[in-house]
C-alpha cells in the first residue's frame, strides 16, 4: 500500500509535468484528454482524492487556456468588411481579400507547434505526420502563389 502510494505519486508528478510542459501533445486529440480524465477518476480520485483533484484541475485549466488562446486578440475593433457589389471575383475589394487571406493564414499559423519546427521535418519523409500544420501552411502558400 505504501509502495503503491509512492508509485502513484511519481506517476502523477510525471503526468503533471507532461501536461504543463507539453500540453500541445493533447490539444488536437480530445480522445487522449478523455482517456486521461478517466484514468484520473479510476486511479487517483478514488485512492488519492487530493492528488486526483489536483490533476483534474490542471487538465481543466490547460484546456481552458487553449480555448482562450485560439481567439484572435486585437488591440482595437476590426474594421467592417467591405462587401462586394456582386459575386464576381472582379467586384471584391483587394483590401478585403487581403484581410481574409491574413485571417485564414493566421488560423493555420497559430496551430504550428514548436516541435514541428525541429530538424526541418517538413523536408523529410513522414512530413505529413511529423509537421502537419507546417505542411498545411506550405500547401496554402503554394496554392495562393
Amino acid at each position: 500500500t505504501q509502495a503503491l502510494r509512492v508509485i502513484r505519486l511519481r506517476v502523477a508528478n510525471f503526468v503533471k509535468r507532461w501536461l504543463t510542459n507539453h500540453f500541445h501533445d493533447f490539444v488536437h486529440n480530445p480522445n487522449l484528454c478523455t482517456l486521461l480524465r478517466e484514468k484520473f477518476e479510476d486511479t487517483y480520485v478514488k485512492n488519492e482524492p487530493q492528488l486526483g483533484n489536483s490533476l483534474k484541475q490542471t487538465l481543466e485549466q490547460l484546456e481552458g487556456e487553449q480555448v482562450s488562446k485560439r481567439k484572435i486578440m486585437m488591440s482595437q475593433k476590426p474594421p467592417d468588411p467591405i462587401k462586394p457589389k456582386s459575386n464576381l471575383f472582379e467586384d471584391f475589394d483587394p483590401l478585403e481579400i487581403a484581410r481574409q487571406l491574413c485571417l485564414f493564414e493566421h488560423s493555420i499559423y497559430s496551430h504550428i507547434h514548436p516541435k514541428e519546427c525541429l530538424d526541418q521535418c517538413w523536408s523529410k519523409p513522414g512530413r505529413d505526420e511529423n509537421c502537419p500544420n507546417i505542411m498545411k501552411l506550405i500547401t496554402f502558400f503554394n496554392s495562393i502563389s
Side-chain angles (χ1 to χ4, degrees), residues 13-141:
N13 283 333
F14 170 77
V15 170
K16 191 166 187 171
R17 214 175 280 135
W18 186 16
L19 284 171
T20 54
N21 296 331
H22 302 284
F23 191 70
H24 56 268
D25 292 340
F26 299 88
V27 170
H28 297 293
N29 192 346
N31 295 334
L32 189 56
C33 288
T34 304
L35 178 66
L36 199 56
R37 192 173 285 109
E38 290 171 2
K39 289 299 176 187
F40 291 164
E41 287 289 332
D42 293 343
T43 306
Y44 290 101
V45 175
K46 291 178 183 175
N47 301 311
E48 303 283 340
Q50 186 175 4
L51 189 58
N53 290 330
S54 172
L55 288 170
K56 281 175 47 179
Q57 184 180 5
T58 301
L59 182 60
E60 290 167 4
Q61 177 185 359
L62 290 169
E63 286 176 325
E65 287 176 7
Q66 287 301 316
V67 168
S68 66
K69 278 184 183 178
R70 289 188 185 138
K71 295 177 184 172
I72 297 176
M73 295 185 153
M74 298 186 182
S75 60
Q76 56 188 353
K77 183 182 175 289
D80 292 329
I82 303 169
K83 299 197 168 80
K85 297 170 188 135
S86 72
N87 286 337
L88 297 174
F89 183 74
E90 295 84 25
D91 291 336
F92 282 82
D93 189 271
L95 180 63
E96 188 60 28
I97 293 172
R99 286 179 188 161
Q100 296 304 317
L101 285 173
C102 285
L103 288 171
F104 186 74
E105 193 169 289
H106 176 268
S107 70
I108 298 172
Y109 183 78
S110 65
H111 283 91
I112 295 176
H113 300 292
K115 70 178 185 177
E116 292 187 46
C117 301
L118 297 175
D119 202 28
Q120 294 183 350
C121 67
W122 60 89
S123 63
K124 296 182 178 168
R127 61 181 162 245
D128 291 327
E129 294 83 29
N130 294 331
C131 53
N133 298 308
I134 290 179
M135 294 310 300
K136 283 179 192 171
L137 188 63
I138 290 171
T139 303
F140 175 70
F141 179 82

